[in-house]
Structure formats: structure tokens, C-alpha cells
């Protein structure tokens, strides 16, 4: 009997894990604040919030990362497609500035590639 | 509106101020407006970069501008921003390492008795008290919840956000072992009634935490070294500068030096910013920027680079680049960018890490389930230990660290030696290079050609009497002097290196030149000019100077002098034809001297198994002669400047992976077309858009070093990725007990902890081995 319970529980839990982590949908937040301004505040705490950011091509962008999580992994943010690797000071807001020069969907992650977010340039 | 007093434009000084405290674009507009109200100040404030760019006229004052910003409620960063952040980071890292060390010691102190106490059958000499489950619980609790708190807090924060990281795996694994043991401790009857021995696994939880923490400590120390290059470069900056203000020498902070300031440098001092020497001379040690160990002699008019060391003399220079414009600042920026870039090979690792942790969780759950249902007795023990083992041994960190650590160490090592590699992508392509194409003039040669021969056609079309400027001291024959007069006059004011050589030679020989009446240049062919004979007083003649193509186009027969032409070309000299009134007058032999290390550089490339080609506008024979001297495999001669790009394309069409080495200015299209463009730096112009690798020093041997370093770095990346994939792919099944039915092998979760800690450390250490790369 206990084996049946563990069997069903195991399969059920596996399906839950897949749904919980891999099938989540994230809401894209636009950073565009005006004609020539785009800036967004991102909380770094167990991941990035928001983790999907919309930017406009050719406009200087400011991504303000507020690192609240002491985890070493999150001490850096990497936006490889724009050649950015920026250290984030704990308890402070670190601003990353760049001008997205190409359209598309670009990944950003922590220094070790454990936490991910995306930048959608339109 | 004129902001500055008339006639004082020359005295305008430019500088940038870093402003903090701006929250929106209107703050920037406000500051800009108030700064522009100040006398002699023209300002533009950029919100995105948090910078005010100032132009100060004669009556403008930097201090009052700063005060104005402060009065408005904002701050001006006095110290260099980057350096300040670096200092803070270093202090934070130090604190973190100290903290980790303390925790590792405490954890070790508690885990050792736990380890021995949990295995009474193996260690019978251990006092009975350590066999008591409640004592073990007391020892394990601080390790699990105080030492291991960082794993739990990090892991659960991630779980809450529907993401999962390494911390989540460690946290779930150790908590499972801990809470199972605690349950057994309080309710031993629950298992003993089923005829099983009540066993606890506090040691598993505590030892795993201790080992992983030890791994993190070693990783933190090692990772600190990967970013050393940037710190070293930042440390090169001078803190102060001695400038002349109001006819007095004063020491000011480096941030206050403005373009146009006259800076005084004494022997042994660091040159604070980039500039041009206006008085004095000295030998300057530029090794920290260019990687060249021999000091360079500099005199009036020469460029000096900030952060280099003045060795012998005193001199004054005019600052031309300050702040973020200096060569050093640009180098730091380039290295930072390179270290932030990704190699395409990393994409696969990125995709894997994105799904890794959830997949491992599923594998762990299924491991538990399968062992519980099908495993031998005691099934719960096997199921639990293998579940913990799978969670602990999985190491996505090694995958994540494999590429960036190698890129950081590799590009940093390059920068220390005057080699700036632009991105991870460059490293990857450099591994495949099989052909290196050198531009000849200015790259293989010094680019300052000299006249070596003047050959006159015996039957001169113009009588010697028409030629008035033969200097009494000159050893030239009449015919030679005549050619030099017309060629020199035609080339007067020319910026072409061959033209400059002719004019210089005429001056050396005291041949007085006259101005040309009209002038027309045909790129890649030559020039046509109208010159008055008789020192500019006689009749007007048409002078044509150029290569064979130029003569052919103008139907000028050069057959009479072919023997001399052949002779010059076989000596590697360029034969420039001079025709007067459509008749050949003679030829001028011009040779460009090879750079000292050209031959050695090509030998090094050959040693690496690469084919070397040379591209030049020279005719085939001249080019072949030079190619022979330096050991070039393939000559691409008589190529017009605009066709260099096409030649590179042609080679690529033959399936070659081409590196092009050129000067970065004239060769920009070819550099961009090549798979890897290698630009030879010219002084303080470091950031060359079209190149993938910039060699700051002029030493051509760095081409081989740059390619070799790229290849070594790429090999490290591949090794790291292989081991990280291999490690996870082989040890996760082992931990799950896949091999148990066949070989009876199972992995103790404590070993899983050891292996996991070792995997990240080994990847970072392997990258650090690149530091041993010898230039």
C-alpha cells in the first residue's frame, strides 16, 4: 500500500515540479518611459523581478538592479549579447546602462547562469 | 549666443563630471540650465550616463560649476567612480571570505564528532555519548540551520519565485536527511517496530554542508583572481597631476585635469593623462600599456600615454585626452566588455543550466520513488540516501563557470601584455584561423619609405640648361637632380608615404622645389601635376609620377629602362616612374625598411602551423623580394587599397579562415571582412571599431601571441565544458543508483558533497592555469 502511495506521490510531485518551474509564464514589463527615456527597476531576490523586460531599439536604457539577495550567484548580472558583466553590490541599486542596438530576444542571467531573465528589444 | 569671449576659443578646456543623485531626465535639464547660467561655462548634462560635459572658457571656473551642482542638491563624484566601486567590492569580498572561513571552521568542529558518532561500528573507540541520537541532533542543528542558512534562505527565495538554483538542491537534500533523522530520534519505534534498526543521517547533512561551504570558500578565493587584470589596470592610474595654472606648478587630483592643461612630469613620475610633449624629452617605460619592455625615447611633438612611467628626463606636455577618453580608460572598458561577452560555445551550457535544476529535482524524486518501490530492504534508507545523493552531486555551477572564468583570465592575460581581445566570439574563431594576411606598408614595414636610387634615362627629354636647381653640394648627376626637382615639386604637400619620401630626399639633397600649378591624384596609380621649369619661372611642363599602370594608361613607353626596374624590384624596392611631358625621364627607387621583428613574427606563426600571406600595392617582383626576406608563403601584389577587402574575401572563398593584420585606419574594411581583424595600435587610439584584436604595442610578434592565447583560452573553455558535462552526466546516474543492479555500486551522499565542491573549484582552477601562459 505504502509503495502505491509513494509511486503516485512521486509521479505527481514530478509533474508538479515540471509545471511549477518550467511552465511558468512571465509578464513582460516595458521600460519605455518617454520618447528618449527607458528605465526599469529590477529586484534581485531569488531571481529577477520583473524577469521579462521590453526595451526600444536605439534608446539609451537604464536597468536599475536592486540586489537584496546575498547569494553569491546573484552578485553579478551578465547580459552577454550587449557585452555587459556587472557586479551588483548587496543592499544597493546598481545601474546598468546601454543602448540596445539590435532587435530580438536576449537572455540575461546571474554570473553562473542559474537565474535567468530576458530582454525583448522592439 | 556666444558663450566665450571672442578670440579665446583656443583656451577652452573640456572636462566631464560624474554626478550622482539624478532621478530623472528633468534633473539633468535643470542642472544643465543652471550650469549654463554660469559665466564662461557651456554644459551639457546626460541623464543616462550621469555625466556633465563642460566646456570652460577663460573666465569659466570648474570649482564654481561643481559648487553649483552641489547647491542644487546633487553630488559630484570626486574620486573615480570605477575605482571606488572596485575598492568597495574588494572589501566586501574580503569580508565574505573571512565570514566563510569562520563558518567552515565551526562547521568542521561540529561535523567531525558527528561523522565519527554516526558510524559506531567503524569507530568503536568513540565515547558512547556520541552514539546518542539526541547529542547528534544538538551537534547537527547549528550546522544545518546556522552554517547552512545561506543555502536555505537562497534556495527558498528562488523556489518562491518559481526558479531553482544550486542552493535549493543543497537545501532540500540536507533538510531531507536532517528531518528524517530528527523523526527517527524522536520516534525510534516507528522503524524498530517494523524490525529495522533506527539509523540517523545527521552526519550526511552536516558533512555535506561543511564540504560545500569549503568548496565555496576555495571558489571565492579562486574567482577573486579571475578578475585581477581589471584591478591591476585600474591600479595603474595616477592619482594626481602637476599642472601649470596661473604660471605656477600645482598638484591637482587627476579628475580635475582638463584637455589643454600643461602637465609637468619629472623623472620617475607617472604620466597622469594622454597628451603631446611640448617641451623636453625623455625615455618612457610603456610596458604596462604596450607590453614592450624597452623604454621608448620621446621628444617634442611625440605622444605620451597616461599611466606610463617617465624614466630619465623632465618634460612638459599638453593634455589631449582625460578621464574616460584616455588610452588606459579605453583599455579597461574594452577588457570589461570582453569579459562580459559570451563565446557562442556557451550557448549550449546556457540552455542546459536553464532547465538543469528542475530536471535534477525530477530525477531525485523518481530515484526516491523507484528505490522505495523496487529497492532492497531497508528501502526507505536506500531511497532517502540516493535522493539526497542526486540532489547534492548535481553541479550546474561548474557548467556556468566553465566559459566566463576562462574568458576573464584569458582576456586579462592579454591586456597585461598589450593584447586587447574584443570578445568571447573572437576567441572561438581564432581557434580556427589557418591563414594570416599582413598588410605590408606600415605593418610589416615601418611605413616610412626612403629614396634609395634615382635612375635617369640617358636621352633626357629636357635639356639640362632648363634645370636650374642643382645644388653645388649635391652629389647627384644633372639627370638625377632634374628628376628630383620635378618629382619633389609635384609631390610637395603630398600625404602619400612615397611622395613624402621624395620630398624629404629632395630637402636632404638641398634641391629647391617649386609649387605645382595643378595637381591630380589617381588612387593606386600615381599623380599628375603641372610644374614650371626654371625654379618656377620657366615654361609649364606636365609631370606624371606613378607605377607601371599609370605609365601604360598614358601610353608612355618604359621599355628603355626595364633592366634597371627589374634590378630595383629584385632588391625589394619600389620603382616609381617619372615622366615629363609624356616622356619617361627616369625612375626613383624607394624602399621601406622592415620592422625589426617582422621576420621573427612570421617564424612564430609558421611554428603554429599557419600560412602567412602579404598584401601590397607594390608590383609582384618588389613584393616577392620582400616576401623572401621575411619568409612569406603567399604574395598578393598590386592590390589597390580598396581591393584589400576583396582579396580577403577571395581567400575566405577558398575555405580559408583568415586573420588580417593591418593598421586599423586605412585597413578598416579588410579588418572588418577578415574572420579575425588584428589592428596594430597607434599610440592612444585603442578602441578600434573594425578590429577584433588590438595590439597596443607595435611588436608584430604579438600577432602570434594573440592567436596562441586565444587558442589556449578556447581550449580551456572546451576542457571546462567537457568536464562539467561529463561530471554531471556520469555522476548523476551513479548517485541515482543506476549502476547498483549491475555492479553493486552506490554513492555515499557525503562523497557527493565532496565531488560537487571539487567540481566548481576544479573548473575555476583550470581557468586560472591560463595565468601561466608565457608571452
Amino acid at each position: 500500500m505504502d509503495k502505491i502511495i509513494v509511486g503516485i506521490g512521486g509521479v505527481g510531485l514530478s509533474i508538479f515540479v515540471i509545471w511549477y518551474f518550467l511552465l511558468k509564464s512571465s509578464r513582460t514589463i516595458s521600460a519605455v518611459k518617454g520618447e528618449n527615456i527607458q528605465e526599469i527597476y529590477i529586484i534581485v531576490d531569488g531571481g529577477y523581478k520583473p524577469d521579462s523586460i521590453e526595451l526600444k531599439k536605439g534608446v539609451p536604457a537604464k536597468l536599475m538592479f536592486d540586489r537584496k539577495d546575498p547569494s553569491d550567484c546573484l552578485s553579478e548580472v551578465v547580459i552577454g549579447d550587449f557585452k555587459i558583466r556587472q557586479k551588483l553590490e548587496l543592499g544597493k541599486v546598481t545601474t546598468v546602462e546601454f543602448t540596445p542596438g539590435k532587435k530580438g530576444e536576449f537572455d540575461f542571467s546571474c554570473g553562473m547562469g542559474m537565474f535567468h531573465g530576458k530582454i525583448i528589444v522592439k | 549666443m556666444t558663450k566665450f569671449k571672442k578670440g579665446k576659443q583656443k583656451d577652452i578646456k573640456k572636462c566631464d563630471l560624474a554626478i550622482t543623485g539624478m532621478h530623472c531626465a528633468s534633473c539633468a535639464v535643470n542642472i544643465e540650465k543652471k550650469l549654463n547660467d554660469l559665466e564662461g561655462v557651456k554644459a551639457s548634462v546626460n541623464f543616462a550616463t550621469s555625466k556633465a560635459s563642460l566646456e570652460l572658457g577663460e573666465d569659466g571656473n570648474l570649482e564654481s560649476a561643481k559648487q553649483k551642482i552641489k547647491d542644487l542638491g546633487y553630488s559630484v563624484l570626486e574620486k573615480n567612480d570605477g575605482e571606488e566601486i572596485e575598492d568597495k567590492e574588494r572589501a566586501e569580498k574580503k569580508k565574505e571570505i573571512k565570514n566563510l572561513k569562520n563558518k567552515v571552521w565551526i562547521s568542521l568542529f561540529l561535523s567531525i564528532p558527528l561523522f565519527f558518532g554516526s558510524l559506531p561500528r567503524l569507530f568503536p573507540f568513540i565515547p558512547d555519548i556520541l552514539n546518542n541520537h539526541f547529542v547528534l541532533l544538538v551537534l547537527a542543528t547549528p550546522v544545518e540551520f546556522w552554517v547552512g542558512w545561506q543555502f536555505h534562505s537562497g534556495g527558498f527565495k528562488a523556489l518562491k519565485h518559481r526558479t531553482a538554483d544550486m542552493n535549493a538542491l543543497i537545501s532540500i537534500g540536507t533538510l531531507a536527511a536532517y528531518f528524517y533523522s530528527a523523526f527517527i530520534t524522536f520516534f525510534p519505534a516507528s522503524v524498530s517496530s517494523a524490525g529495522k534498526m533506527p539509523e540517523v543521517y545527521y552526519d550526511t547533512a552536516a558533512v555535506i554542508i561543511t564540504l560545500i561551504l569549503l568548496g565555496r570558500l576555495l571558489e571565492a578565493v579562486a574567482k577573486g583572481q579571475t578578475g585581477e587584470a581589471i584591478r591591476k589596470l585600474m591600479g595603474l592610474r595616477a592619482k594626481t597631476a602637476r599642472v601649470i595654472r596661473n604660471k605656477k606648478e600645482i598638484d591637482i587630483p587627476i579628475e580635475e585635469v582638463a584637455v589643454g592643461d600643461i602637465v609637468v612630469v619629472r623623472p620617475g613620475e607617472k604620466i597622469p593623462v594622454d597628451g603631446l610633449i611640448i617641451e623636453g624629452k625623455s625615455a618612457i617605460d610603456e610596458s604596462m600599456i604596450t607590453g614592450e619592455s624597452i623604454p621608448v625615447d620621446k621628444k617634442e611633438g611625440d605622444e605620451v600615454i597616461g599611466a606610463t612611467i617617465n624614466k630619465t628626463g623632465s618634460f612638459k606636455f599638453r593634455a589631449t585626452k582625460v578621464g574616460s577618453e584616455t588610452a588606459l580608460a579605453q583599455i579597461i572598458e574594452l577588457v570589461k566588455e570582453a569579459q562580459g561577452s559570451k563565446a557562442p560555445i556557451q550557448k549550449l551550457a546556457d540552455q542546459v543550466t536553464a532547465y538543469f535544476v528542475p530536471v535534477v529535482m525530477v530525477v531525485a524524486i523518481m530515484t526516491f520513488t523507484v528505490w522505495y518501490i523496487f529497492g532492497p530492504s531497508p528501502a526507505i534508507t536506500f531511497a532517502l540516501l540516493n535522493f539526497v545523493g542526486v540532489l547534492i552531486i548535481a553541479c550546474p555551477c561548474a557548467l556556468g563557470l566553465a566559459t566566463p572564468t576562462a574568458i576573464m583570465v584569458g582576456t586579462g592575460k592579454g591586456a597585461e601584455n598589450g593584447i586587447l581581445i574584443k570578445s568571447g566570439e573572437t576567441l572561438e574563431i581564432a581557434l580556427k584561423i589557418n591563414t594570416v594576411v599582413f598588410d605590408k606598408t606600415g605593418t610589416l614595414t615601418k611605413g616610412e619609405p626612403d629614396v634609395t636610387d634615382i635612375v635617369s634615362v640617358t636621352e633626357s627629354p629636357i635639356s639640362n640648361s632648363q634645370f636650374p636647381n642643382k645644388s653645388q653640394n649635391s652629389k647627384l648627376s644633372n639627370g638625377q637632380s632634374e628628376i628630383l626637382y620635378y618629382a619633389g615639386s609635384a609631390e610637395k604637400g603630398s600625404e602619400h608615404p612615397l611622395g613624402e619620401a621624395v620630398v624629404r630626399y629632395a630637402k636632404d639633397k638641398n634641391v629647391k622645389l617649386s609649387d605645382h600649378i595643378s595637381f591630380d591624384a589617381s588612387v593606386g596609380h600615381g599623380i599628375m601635376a603641372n610644374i614650371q621649369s626654371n625654379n618656377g619661372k620657366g615654361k609649364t611642363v606636365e609631370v606624371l609620377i606613378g607605377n607601371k599602370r599609370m605609365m601604360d594608361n598614358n601610353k608612355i613607353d618604359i621599355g628603355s629602362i626595364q633592366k634597371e626596374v627589374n634590378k630595383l624590384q629584385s632588391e625589394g624596392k619600389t620603382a616609381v616612374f617619372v615622366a615629363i611631358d609624356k616622356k619617361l625621364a627616369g625612375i626613383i627607387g624607394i624602399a621601406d625598411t622592415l620592422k625589426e621583428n617582422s621576420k621573427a613574427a612570421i617564424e612564430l606563426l609558421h611554428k603554429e602551423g599557419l600560412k602567412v600571406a602579404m598584401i601590397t600595392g607594390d608590383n609582384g617582383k618588389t613584393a616577392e623580394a620582400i616576401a623572401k626576406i621575411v619568409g612569406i608563403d603567399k604574395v598578393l601584389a598590386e592590390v589597390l587599397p580598396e581591393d584589400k577587402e576583396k582579396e580577403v574575401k577571395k581567400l575566405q572563398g577558398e575555405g580559408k579562415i583568415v586573420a588580417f593584420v593591418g593598421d586599423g585606419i586605412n585597413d578598416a574594411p579588410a579588418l572588418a571582412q577578415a574572420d579575425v581583424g588584428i589592428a596594430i595600435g597607434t599610440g592612444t587610439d585603442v578602441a578600434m571599431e573594425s578590429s577584433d584584436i588590438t595590439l597596443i604595442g607595435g611588436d608584430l610578434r604579438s600577432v602570434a601571441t594573440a592567436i596562441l592565447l586565444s587558442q589556449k583560452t578556447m581550449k580551456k573553455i572546451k576542457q571546462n565544458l567537457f568536464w562539467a558535462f561529463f561530471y554531471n552526466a556520469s555522476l548523476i546516474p551513479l548517485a541515482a543508483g543506476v549502476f547498483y543492479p549491475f555492479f553493486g555500486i552506490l554513492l555515499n551522499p557525503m562523497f557527493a558533497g565532496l565531488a560537487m565542491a571539487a567540481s566548481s573549484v576544479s573548473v575555476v582552477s583550470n581557468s586560472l592555469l591560463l595565468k601561466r601562459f608565457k608571452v
Side-chain angles (χ1 to χ4, degrees), chain A residues 2 20 39 45 85 87 97, chain B residues 48 157 159 162 339 372:
Chain A
D2 59 335
Y20 188 74
E39 53 184 49
D45 194 12
R85 173 180 290 274
K87 294 208 172 129
E97 292 168 13
Chain B
K157 264 182 194 168
L159 292 180
R162 297 182 73 168
Q339 298 194 337
Y372 190 86

Side-chain angles (χ1 to χ4, degrees), chain B residues 39 136 413 454 476 504:
Chain B
E39 194 60 37
L136 296 179
K413 185 80 198 172
I454 299 179
L476 300 174
R504 204 169 45 238

Side-chain angles (χ1 to χ4, degrees), chain B residues 30 44 84 126 134 211 264 267 363 370 383 412 503 514 527 549 616 621 631 658 685 712 757:
Chain B
N30 186 27
S44 119
E84 193 173 47
I126 294 297
F134 285 98
L211 286 173
V264 183
V363 172
V370 170
V503 176
S514 67
I527 61 161
R549 238 175 312 183
T616 174
K621 278 185 195 159
V658 180
D685 280 325
K712 282 254 157 79

Side-chain angles (χ1 to χ4, degrees), chain A residues 2-115:
Chain A
D2 59 335
K3 288 186 179 180
I4 295 169
I5 295 170
V6 168
I8 296 170
V11 173
L13 200 57
S14 298
I15 294 169
F16 172 77
V17 167
I18 293 168
W19 168 80
Y20 188 74
F21 294 112
L22 302 179
L23 301 177
K24 63 170 177 172
S25 57
S26 51
R27 205 157 65 90
T28 303
I29 309 286
S30 173
V32 182
K33 295 278 181 289
E35 184 69 9
N36 280 313
I37 305 166
Q38 46 185 353
E39 53 184 49
I40 193 155
Y41 177 76
I42 300 160
I43 298 172
V44 183
D45 194 12
Y48 302 100
K49 200 178 170 187
D51 60 359
S52 181
I53 295 147
E54 189 184 304
L55 296 178
K56 211 164 124 187
K57 187 189 154 192
V59 176
K62 279 182 139 190
L63 306 187
M64 293 172 275
F65 290 92
D66 186 357
R67 182 177 162 215
K68 294 178 190 287
D69 194 326
S71 165
D72 187 48
C73 194
L74 288 162
S75 64
E76 270 183 336
V77 64
V78 181
I79 317 173
D81 293 289
F82 297 102
K83 291 187 174 179
I84 291 164
R85 173 180 290 274
Q86 177 67 51
K87 294 208 172 129
L88 306 178
E89 221 181 314
L90 183 61
K92 294 242 163 90
V93 178
T94 309
T95 305
V96 171
E97 292 168 13
F98 67 100
T99 304
K102 46 191 172 184
K103 284 183 184 177
E105 213 173 290
F106 308 100
D107 181 67
F108 69 93
S109 68
C110 68
M112 292 184 204
M114 305 292 290
F115 296 98

Side-chain angles (χ1 to χ4, degrees), chain B residues 51 78-79 99 104 112 121 132 177 212 218 232 243 247 275 306 377 399 445 472 495 576 651 665-666 728 753:
Chain B
K51 263 188 195 149
E78 294 294 343
K79 212 179 156 196
N99 194 9
V104 166
I112 290 171
R121 272 171 284 172
N132 185 313
I212 292 178
L218 296 174
K232 269 193 193 165
V243 298
K247 293 178 185 165
S377 180
L399 280 170
T445 63
Q472 286 175 342
E495 282 174 5
V576 176
L651 285 171
I665 301 155
N666 302 321
N728 282 303

Side-chain angles (χ1 to χ4, degrees), chain B residues 124-158:
Chain B
F125 52 86
I126 294 297
D128 281 346
I129 190 169
L130 285 179
N131 294 332
N132 185 313
H133 290 175
F134 285 98
V135 172
L136 296 179
L137 172 71
V138 170
L139 288 173
T141 305
V143 180
E144 182 68 42
F145 293 104
W146 180 69
V147 178
W149 185 248
Q150 63 186 87
F151 303 122
H152 307 314
S153 75
F156 278 91
K157 264 182 194 168

